[in-house]
Amino acid sequence: MSGQSSVQTKSTKLKKALSWIGETLQNQPEKERKAVVHEAVFRFDLTPTECEFLNQDFSSPDPD
């Protein structure tokens, strides 16, 4: 049972980080996306796997 709650906790932290990244970029568009992602990693105490996910998928802006 404790393994399930651990996974759920990690998932919750990642969801909160994604929400925070979105809000921060919307409210402070002058901030660099990469810097916001980096701050989220520490703010939400994400795992190396979660960090890699964010860095690969959210550090660069979408191409126009």
Side-chain angles (χ1 to χ4, degrees):
M1 271 284 181
S2 65
Q4 256 184 336
S5 66
S6 175
V7 170
Q8 186 176 21
T9 301
K10 290 177 184 176
S11 176
T12 301
K13 287 198 285 185
L14 183 58
K15 287 178 185 178
K16 287 181 180 181
L18 288 169
S19 178
W20 181 84
I21 289 169
E23 287 177 20
T24 301
L25 291 173
Q26 187 175 21
N27 294 331
Q28 301 173 25
E30 72 282 356
K31 281 195 163 191
E32 287 188 28
R33 183 182 293 247
K34 189 172 185 175
V36 173
V37 169
H38 188 306
E39 184 177 342
V41 166
F42 291 101
R43 181 180 288 254
F44 295 95
D45 190 32
L46 301 179
T47 66
T49 303
E50 292 166 331
C51 296
E52 185 177 337
F53 171 76
L54 289 178
N55 285 325
Q56 287 180 355
D57 295 334
F58 294 97
S59 288
S60 301
D62 291 334
D64 291 333

